[in-house]
Amino acid sequence: MLISQIIRSKPQDGVITISPDATLADAAKLLAEKRIGAVVASEDGVKVAGILSERDIVREIAKRGADCLQDKVSSAMTRNVFGCSPDDKTDVALQTMTAKRFRHLPVMEDGKMIGLISIGDVVATKLSELELEKDALTGMIMGY
Ligand code: AMP
């Protein structure tokens, strides 16, 4: 299965982004409202400036207390963002996320972000693939 197939199966309403100049309080509110675990920081919605995960906010609170919530997203985000291509296999994305220990990957095409996948998306895809394989094998064995 390819990343492009996951992207197509998700709601086509664009990737949720936040300005690097927004505050961590704004970011926490957005993550809670949208029920997501990370948000891409971007000025224009397509060029990736960084990624901010709920873990980054928790780390800052643990270090400096709630005062950090008035700091900018740019102060806590990860700037060296790993992405994937729509033509990559889902297994490769899963390997990257596992090896690098993060759960989100922007999907990039010609330097622009066209989607974002989470480890949950990839695992759900993998489970339905396994289910299909199981049904096919059961059918072969039982002679359906
Ligand atoms: P996550 O597991 O995705 O919630 O993120 C864990 C840590 O990895 C946080 O510090 C994120 O800023 C960072 N992170 C998340 N996704 C990526 C990515 N695609 N590339 C680089 N860093 C990331």
Side-chain angles (χ1 to χ4, degrees), residues 4-101:
S4 55
Q5 290 167 277
I6 298 187
I7 299 277
R8 275 200 296 273
S9 71
K10 293 183 71 165
Q12 302 294 311
D13 46 7
V15 183
I16 296 161
T17 61
I18 193 164
S19 163
D21 291 330
T23 63
L24 291 182
D26 294 331
K29 203 166 159 223
L30 185 68
L31 294 178
E33 266 171 23
K34 303 285 183 189
R35 308 172 122 217
I36 53 176
V39 62
V40 168
S42 172
E43 296 287 4
D44 60 4
V46 287
K47 260 177 52 200
V48 176
I51 190 161
L52 183 83
S53 144
E54 54 201 356
R55 292 191 189 186
D56 298 319
I57 301 176
V58 168
R59 184 194 60 227
E60 291 304 309
I61 293 174
K63 255 200 302 194
R64 303 193 20 236
D67 283 353
C68 76
L69 291 172
Q70 297 318 312
D71 291 354
K72 288 185 176 178
V73 165
S74 57
S75 69
M77 69 189 189
T78 302
R79 289 168 192 271
N80 182 22
V81 180
F82 285 80
C84 63
S85 150
D87 302 324
D88 284 344
K89 291 202 168 131
T90 50
D91 283 354
V92 173
L94 195 54
Q95 275 164 15
T96 304
M97 288 194 251
T98 307
K100 306 276 181 200
R101 296 184 185 279

Side-chain angles (χ1 to χ4, degrees), residues 6 10 94 97 103-105 116-124:
I6 298 187
K10 293 183 71 165
L94 195 54
M97 288 194 251
R103 298 165 292 177
H104 302 87
L105 272 185
L116 181 112
I117 55 161
S118 72
I119 203 160
D121 298 326
V122 182
V123 169

